[in-house]
Short mmCIF file of all heavy atoms in Angstrom, two decimals:
data_model
loop_
_atom_site.label_atom_id
_atom_site.label_comp_id
_atom_site.label_asym_id
_atom_site.label_seq_id
_atom_site.Cartn_x
_atom_site.Cartn_y
_atom_site.Cartn_z
N GLU G 208 0.30 -23.00 11.25
CA GLU G 208 1.12 -24.25 11.18
C GLU G 208 1.09 -24.83 9.78
O GLU G 208 2.11 -25.33 9.27
CB GLU G 208 0.63 -25.28 12.21
CG GLU G 208 0.92 -24.88 13.65
CD GLU G 208 2.41 -24.80 13.94
OE1 GLU G 208 3.17 -25.66 13.46
OE2 GLU G 208 2.81 -23.84 14.64
N GLN G 209 -0.08 -24.76 9.14
CA GLN G 209 -0.20 -25.30 7.78
C GLN G 209 0.64 -24.53 6.78
O GLN G 209 1.24 -25.07 5.87
CB GLN G 209 -1.69 -25.29 7.33
CG GLN G 209 -2.59 -26.20 8.08
CD GLN G 209 -3.13 -25.59 9.39
OE1 GLN G 209 -2.83 -24.44 9.73
NE2 GLN G 209 -3.88 -26.36 10.14
N ASP G 210 0.69 -23.19 6.98
CA ASP G 210 1.50 -22.35 6.08
C ASP G 210 3.00 -22.58 6.26
O ASP G 210 3.76 -22.64 5.31
CB ASP G 210 1.18 -20.87 6.27
CG ASP G 210 -0.23 -20.53 5.85
OD1 ASP G 210 -0.75 -21.18 4.91
OD2 ASP G 210 -0.83 -19.64 6.47
N LEU G 211 3.40 -22.75 7.51
CA LEU G 211 4.80 -23.10 7.81
C LEU G 211 5.18 -24.45 7.23
O LEU G 211 6.24 -24.61 6.64
CB LEU G 211 5.04 -23.13 9.33
CG LEU G 211 5.12 -21.76 10.02
CD1 LEU G 211 5.07 -21.96 11.55
CD2 LEU G 211 6.39 -21.02 9.63
N ALA G 212 4.26 -25.41 7.35
CA ALA G 212 4.49 -26.75 6.78
C ALA G 212 4.55 -26.69 5.27
O ALA G 212 5.41 -27.37 4.64
CB ALA G 212 3.41 -27.69 7.23
N PHE G 213 3.71 -25.89 4.65
CA PHE G 213 3.73 -25.71 3.19
C PHE G 213 5.08 -25.16 2.73
O PHE G 213 5.72 -25.67 1.82
CB PHE G 213 2.59 -24.80 2.73
CG PHE G 213 2.73 -24.42 1.30
CD1 PHE G 213 2.31 -25.28 0.29
CD2 PHE G 213 3.26 -23.20 0.91
CE1 PHE G 213 2.43 -24.95 -1.03
CE2 PHE G 213 3.38 -22.84 -0.40
CZ PHE G 213 2.97 -23.73 -1.41
N ARG G 214 5.54 -24.08 3.38
CA ARG G 214 6.84 -23.49 3.01
C ARG G 214 7.96 -24.48 3.20
O ARG G 214 8.81 -24.64 2.33
CB ARG G 214 7.10 -22.24 3.86
CG ARG G 214 8.35 -21.49 3.38
CD ARG G 214 8.55 -20.18 4.11
NE ARG G 214 9.00 -20.47 5.45
CZ ARG G 214 9.00 -19.59 6.44
NH1 ARG G 214 8.62 -18.34 6.24
NH2 ARG G 214 9.43 -19.92 7.63
N ALA G 215 7.95 -25.21 4.31
CA ALA G 215 8.99 -26.23 4.54
C ALA G 215 8.94 -27.34 3.48
O ALA G 215 9.98 -27.78 3.01
CB ALA G 215 8.86 -26.81 5.93
N ALA G 216 7.74 -27.73 3.13
CA ALA G 216 7.59 -28.78 2.08
C ALA G 216 8.15 -28.29 0.77
O ALA G 216 8.79 -29.05 0.02
CB ALA G 216 6.12 -29.20 1.96
N PHE G 217 7.90 -27.06 0.44
CA PHE G 217 8.42 -26.51 -0.81
C PHE G 217 9.92 -26.44 -0.79
O PHE G 217 10.61 -26.87 -1.69
CB PHE G 217 7.84 -25.12 -1.10
CG PHE G 217 8.30 -24.59 -2.41
CD1 PHE G 217 7.72 -25.01 -3.60
CD2 PHE G 217 9.37 -23.70 -2.48
CE1 PHE G 217 8.17 -24.53 -4.83
CE2 PHE G 217 9.84 -23.23 -3.71
CZ PHE G 217 9.24 -23.66 -4.88
N GLU G 218 10.47 -25.92 0.34
CA GLU G 218 11.92 -25.74 0.46
C GLU G 218 12.68 -27.06 0.53
O GLU G 218 13.87 -27.07 0.23
CB GLU G 218 12.24 -24.90 1.68
CG GLU G 218 11.77 -23.45 1.56
CD GLU G 218 11.91 -22.60 2.80
OE1 GLU G 218 12.09 -23.20 3.89
OE2 GLU G 218 11.88 -21.38 2.65
N THR G 219 12.01 -28.12 0.91
CA THR G 219 12.68 -29.43 0.97
C THR G 219 12.23 -30.34 -0.19
O THR G 219 12.46 -31.56 -0.14
CB THR G 219 12.40 -30.13 2.33
OG1 THR G 219 10.98 -30.23 2.51
CG2 THR G 219 12.99 -29.34 3.47
N PHE G 220 11.62 -29.75 -1.17
CA PHE G 220 11.31 -30.42 -2.45
C PHE G 220 10.28 -31.56 -2.30
O PHE G 220 10.27 -32.48 -3.09
CB PHE G 220 12.57 -30.88 -3.16
CG PHE G 220 13.66 -29.85 -3.18
CD1 PHE G 220 14.89 -30.06 -2.57
CD2 PHE G 220 13.44 -28.63 -3.80
CE1 PHE G 220 15.86 -29.10 -2.55
CE2 PHE G 220 14.41 -27.69 -3.85
CZ PHE G 220 15.64 -27.89 -3.20
N VAL G 221 9.46 -31.48 -1.26
CA VAL G 221 8.41 -32.49 -1.10
C VAL G 221 7.28 -32.20 -2.12
O VAL G 221 6.67 -33.14 -2.65
CB VAL G 221 7.85 -32.45 0.34
CG1 VAL G 221 6.63 -33.33 0.48
CG2 VAL G 221 8.94 -32.86 1.34
N ILE G 222 7.06 -30.97 -2.43
CA ILE G 222 6.05 -30.58 -3.42
C ILE G 222 6.59 -30.85 -4.81
O ILE G 222 7.70 -30.44 -5.17
CB ILE G 222 5.63 -29.10 -3.26
CG1 ILE G 222 4.96 -28.93 -1.88
CG2 ILE G 222 4.72 -28.64 -4.36
CD1 ILE G 222 4.65 -27.49 -1.53
N GLU G 223 5.80 -31.53 -5.61
CA GLU G 223 6.14 -31.86 -6.95
C GLU G 223 5.85 -30.68 -7.90
O GLU G 223 4.91 -29.92 -7.63
CB GLU G 223 5.35 -33.08 -7.45
CG GLU G 223 5.67 -34.35 -6.70
CD GLU G 223 7.07 -34.88 -7.00
OE1 GLU G 223 7.52 -34.75 -8.17
OE2 GLU G 223 7.70 -35.41 -6.09
N PRO G 224 6.60 -30.54 -8.99
CA PRO G 224 6.31 -29.46 -9.93
C PRO G 224 4.84 -29.41 -10.38
O PRO G 224 4.27 -28.33 -10.49
CB PRO G 224 7.24 -29.74 -11.11
CG PRO G 224 8.41 -30.44 -10.48
CD PRO G 224 7.78 -31.30 -9.40
N ALA G 225 4.22 -30.56 -10.61
CA ALA G 225 2.83 -30.58 -11.05
C ALA G 225 1.89 -30.04 -10.00
O ALA G 225 0.80 -29.53 -10.34
CB ALA G 225 2.41 -32.00 -11.41
N GLY G 226 2.28 -30.08 -8.75
CA GLY G 226 1.44 -29.57 -7.68
C GLY G 226 1.72 -28.09 -7.32
O GLY G 226 1.07 -27.56 -6.43
N PHE G 227 2.65 -27.51 -8.03
CA PHE G 227 3.00 -26.12 -7.72
C PHE G 227 2.38 -25.19 -8.75
O PHE G 227 2.99 -24.70 -9.67
CB PHE G 227 4.51 -25.97 -7.68
CG PHE G 227 4.95 -24.66 -7.06
CD1 PHE G 227 4.65 -24.35 -5.75
CD2 PHE G 227 5.64 -23.72 -7.80
CE1 PHE G 227 5.03 -23.16 -5.17
CE2 PHE G 227 6.04 -22.52 -7.25
CZ PHE G 227 5.71 -22.22 -5.94
N ASP G 228 1.08 -24.96 -8.54
CA ASP G 228 0.29 -24.13 -9.43
C ASP G 228 0.30 -22.66 -8.99
O ASP G 228 1.04 -22.30 -8.08
CB ASP G 228 -1.13 -24.67 -9.54
CG ASP G 228 -1.82 -24.72 -8.14
OD1 ASP G 228 -1.29 -24.19 -7.15
OD2 ASP G 228 -2.93 -25.29 -8.09
N HIS G 229 -0.53 -21.88 -9.67
CA HIS G 229 -0.57 -20.44 -9.35
C HIS G 229 -0.92 -20.17 -7.89
O HIS G 229 -0.30 -19.35 -7.22
CB HIS G 229 -1.55 -19.69 -10.28
CG HIS G 229 -1.70 -18.27 -9.92
ND1 HIS G 229 -0.72 -17.36 -10.11
CD2 HIS G 229 -2.75 -17.62 -9.32
CE1 HIS G 229 -1.12 -16.19 -9.65
NE2 HIS G 229 -2.34 -16.30 -9.17
N ARG G 230 -1.93 -20.88 -7.38
CA ARG G 230 -2.32 -20.72 -5.98
C ARG G 230 -1.14 -20.99 -5.05
O ARG G 230 -0.91 -20.28 -4.08
CB ARG G 230 -3.49 -21.61 -5.63
CG ARG G 230 -4.05 -21.41 -4.24
CD ARG G 230 -5.23 -22.34 -3.96
NE ARG G 230 -6.03 -21.95 -2.81
CZ ARG G 230 -5.69 -22.19 -1.55
NH1 ARG G 230 -4.55 -22.80 -1.27
NH2 ARG G 230 -6.48 -21.77 -0.57
N ALA G 231 -0.37 -22.01 -5.35
CA ALA G 231 0.81 -22.37 -4.53
C ALA G 231 1.84 -21.28 -4.61
O ALA G 231 2.50 -20.97 -3.62
CB ALA G 231 1.35 -23.71 -4.95
N HIS G 232 2.02 -20.68 -5.76
CA HIS G 232 2.95 -19.54 -5.93
C HIS G 232 2.55 -18.42 -5.00
O HIS G 232 3.38 -17.80 -4.31
CB HIS G 232 2.99 -19.04 -7.35
CG HIS G 232 3.94 -19.75 -8.26
ND1 HIS G 232 3.62 -20.96 -8.89
CD2 HIS G 232 5.18 -19.43 -8.70
CE1 HIS G 232 4.63 -21.30 -9.64
NE2 HIS G 232 5.60 -20.41 -9.54
N VAL G 233 1.26 -18.07 -5.02
CA VAL G 233 0.76 -16.98 -4.20
C VAL G 233 0.93 -17.32 -2.72
O VAL G 233 1.31 -16.49 -1.90
CB VAL G 233 -0.72 -16.65 -4.55
CG1 VAL G 233 -1.28 -15.61 -3.61
CG2 VAL G 233 -0.81 -16.15 -5.99
N ARG G 234 0.65 -18.59 -2.38
CA ARG G 234 0.80 -19.00 -0.96
C ARG G 234 2.24 -18.90 -0.54
O ARG G 234 2.54 -18.48 0.59
CB ARG G 234 0.31 -20.42 -0.84
CG ARG G 234 0.27 -20.88 0.63
CD ARG G 234 -0.30 -22.30 0.78
NE ARG G 234 -0.47 -22.59 2.19
CZ ARG G 234 -0.90 -23.76 2.61
NH1 ARG G 234 -1.23 -24.72 1.74
NH2 ARG G 234 -1.01 -23.97 3.90
N LEU G 235 3.17 -19.25 -1.40
CA LEU G 235 4.61 -19.17 -1.07
C LEU G 235 4.99 -17.68 -0.85
O LEU G 235 5.69 -17.33 0.11
CB LEU G 235 5.46 -19.79 -2.12
CG LEU G 235 6.93 -19.96 -1.76
CD1 LEU G 235 7.11 -20.87 -0.54
CD2 LEU G 235 7.70 -20.52 -2.94
N ALA G 236 4.52 -16.81 -1.73
CA ALA G 236 4.76 -15.37 -1.54
C ALA G 236 4.22 -14.91 -0.17
O ALA G 236 4.93 -14.19 0.58
CB ALA G 236 4.14 -14.58 -2.68
N TYR G 237 3.00 -15.31 0.16
CA TYR G 237 2.41 -14.98 1.45
C TYR G 237 3.29 -15.49 2.60
O TYR G 237 3.55 -14.79 3.57
CB TYR G 237 0.99 -15.61 1.51
CG TYR G 237 0.35 -15.45 2.86
CD1 TYR G 237 -0.48 -14.34 3.13
CD2 TYR G 237 0.46 -16.38 3.88
CE1 TYR G 237 -1.10 -14.17 4.34
CE2 TYR G 237 -0.16 -16.25 5.09
CZ TYR G 237 -0.94 -15.14 5.34
OH TYR G 237 -1.55 -15.00 6.54
N ALA G 238 3.76 -16.73 2.47
CA ALA G 238 4.59 -17.32 3.54
C ALA G 238 5.86 -16.57 3.74
O ALA G 238 6.31 -16.37 4.92
CB ALA G 238 4.85 -18.79 3.22
N TYR G 239 6.49 -16.10 2.68
CA TYR G 239 7.73 -15.34 2.83
C TYR G 239 7.45 -13.93 3.34
O TYR G 239 8.21 -13.40 4.13
CB TYR G 239 8.50 -15.30 1.55
CG TYR G 239 9.21 -16.60 1.27
CD1 TYR G 239 9.03 -17.30 0.08
CD2 TYR G 239 10.05 -17.19 2.21
CE1 TYR G 239 9.67 -18.52 -0.17
CE2 TYR G 239 10.70 -18.38 1.97
CZ TYR G 239 10.51 -19.06 0.79
OH TYR G 239 11.12 -20.25 0.54
N LEU G 240 6.39 -13.31 2.89
CA LEU G 240 6.07 -11.94 3.31
C LEU G 240 5.60 -11.87 4.77
O LEU G 240 5.78 -10.86 5.43
CB LEU G 240 4.99 -11.36 2.39
CG LEU G 240 5.50 -10.91 1.05
CD1 LEU G 240 4.32 -10.76 0.10
CD2 LEU G 240 6.29 -9.63 1.17
N ALA G 241 5.00 -12.93 5.28
CA ALA G 241 4.52 -12.92 6.67
C ALA G 241 5.61 -12.65 7.67
O ALA G 241 5.34 -12.16 8.74
CB ALA G 241 3.77 -14.22 6.96
N GLY G 242 6.83 -13.01 7.34
CA GLY G 242 7.90 -12.84 8.32
C GLY G 242 9.03 -11.94 7.88
O GLY G 242 10.05 -11.84 8.54
N SER G 243 8.86 -11.25 6.73
CA SER G 243 9.96 -10.48 6.19
C SER G 243 9.49 -9.18 5.50
O SER G 243 8.32 -9.06 5.14
CB SER G 243 10.69 -11.27 5.15
OG SER G 243 11.22 -12.48 5.62
N GLU G 244 10.41 -8.31 5.31
CA GLU G 244 10.18 -7.14 4.46
C GLU G 244 10.10 -7.60 3.02
O GLU G 244 10.55 -8.69 2.69
CB GLU G 244 11.30 -6.11 4.64
CG GLU G 244 11.36 -5.51 6.04
CD GLU G 244 10.17 -4.61 6.32
OE1 GLU G 244 9.71 -3.90 5.40
OE2 GLU G 244 9.67 -4.63 7.48
N VAL G 245 9.60 -6.74 2.16
CA VAL G 245 9.38 -7.08 0.75
C VAL G 245 10.65 -7.58 0.08
O VAL G 245 10.64 -8.62 -0.57
CB VAL G 245 8.79 -5.88 -0.02
CG1 VAL G 245 8.77 -6.16 -1.52
CG2 VAL G 245 7.39 -5.58 0.46
N GLU G 246 11.74 -6.84 0.22
CA GLU G 246 12.97 -7.23 -0.50
C GLU G 246 13.49 -8.58 -0.03
O GLU G 246 13.93 -9.40 -0.82
CB GLU G 246 14.04 -6.15 -0.35
CG GLU G 246 15.28 -6.38 -1.22
CD GLU G 246 14.98 -6.54 -2.72
OE1 GLU G 246 14.06 -5.91 -3.23
OE2 GLU G 246 15.68 -7.35 -3.38
N GLN G 247 13.46 -8.80 1.27
CA GLN G 247 13.94 -10.09 1.80
C GLN G 247 13.02 -11.22 1.34
O GLN G 247 13.49 -12.28 1.01
CB GLN G 247 14.03 -10.07 3.33
CG GLN G 247 14.60 -11.32 3.92
CD GLN G 247 16.05 -11.55 3.46
OE1 GLN G 247 16.90 -10.68 3.59
NE2 GLN G 247 16.30 -12.72 2.86
N ALA G 248 11.73 -10.96 1.36
CA ALA G 248 10.76 -12.00 0.92
C ALA G 248 11.02 -12.33 -0.57
O ALA G 248 11.00 -13.49 -0.96
CB ALA G 248 9.33 -11.50 1.12
N PHE G 249 11.29 -11.30 -1.38
CA PHE G 249 11.57 -11.56 -2.79
C PHE G 249 12.84 -12.39 -2.94
O PHE G 249 12.89 -13.36 -3.68
CB PHE G 249 11.73 -10.24 -3.56
CG PHE G 249 12.31 -10.45 -4.93
CD1 PHE G 249 11.53 -11.04 -5.91
CD2 PHE G 249 13.60 -10.12 -5.21
CE1 PHE G 249 12.08 -11.29 -7.18
CE2 PHE G 249 14.13 -10.33 -6.45
CZ PHE G 249 13.36 -10.92 -7.46
N GLN G 250 13.90 -12.03 -2.21
CA GLN G 250 15.16 -12.78 -2.30
C GLN G 250 14.96 -14.24 -1.85
O GLN G 250 15.49 -15.15 -2.50
CB GLN G 250 16.26 -12.11 -1.48
CG GLN G 250 16.68 -10.74 -2.02
CD GLN G 250 17.24 -10.79 -3.45
OE1 GLN G 250 17.80 -11.78 -3.90
NE2 GLN G 250 17.00 -9.70 -4.19
N ASP G 251 14.22 -14.43 -0.77
CA ASP G 251 13.95 -15.78 -0.28
C ASP G 251 13.15 -16.60 -1.29
O ASP G 251 13.46 -17.76 -1.55
CB ASP G 251 13.23 -15.75 1.07
CG ASP G 251 14.06 -15.20 2.18
OD1 ASP G 251 15.28 -15.14 2.08
OD2 ASP G 251 13.48 -14.85 3.22
N MET G 252 12.13 -15.96 -1.86
CA MET G 252 11.30 -16.65 -2.81
C MET G 252 12.08 -16.95 -4.08
O MET G 252 12.04 -18.10 -4.63
CB MET G 252 10.06 -15.85 -3.17
CG MET G 252 9.12 -16.60 -4.08
SD MET G 252 7.43 -16.14 -3.80
CE MET G 252 6.61 -17.04 -5.10
#
């Protein structure tokens, strides 16, 4: 649920640029890959 909320927060611009660090980038990649094939996850990200 926390990962879904994180992805939604990013996609709706709740997360500020200053809060989007390397760990957040990796987490977003994880969130897209959890439900998609590599190419789709890349396109979504």
Side-chain angles (χ1 to χ4, degrees):
E208 289 297 319
Q209 294 85 0
D210 294 328
L211 286 168
F213 170 80
R214 187 176 72 194
F217 183 80
E218 291 173 344
T219 57
F220 314 117
V221 173
I222 295 174
E223 295 290 325
F227 193 62
D228 59 8
H229 175 70
R230 185 180 196 282
H232 274 82
V233 174
R234 186 176 188 183
L235 190 61
Y237 174 90
Y239 285 125
L240 283 163
S243 300
E244 294 292 323
V245 170
E246 187 57 34
Q247 186 61 55
F249 169 72
Q250 293 301 330
D251 292 344
M252 185 150 175

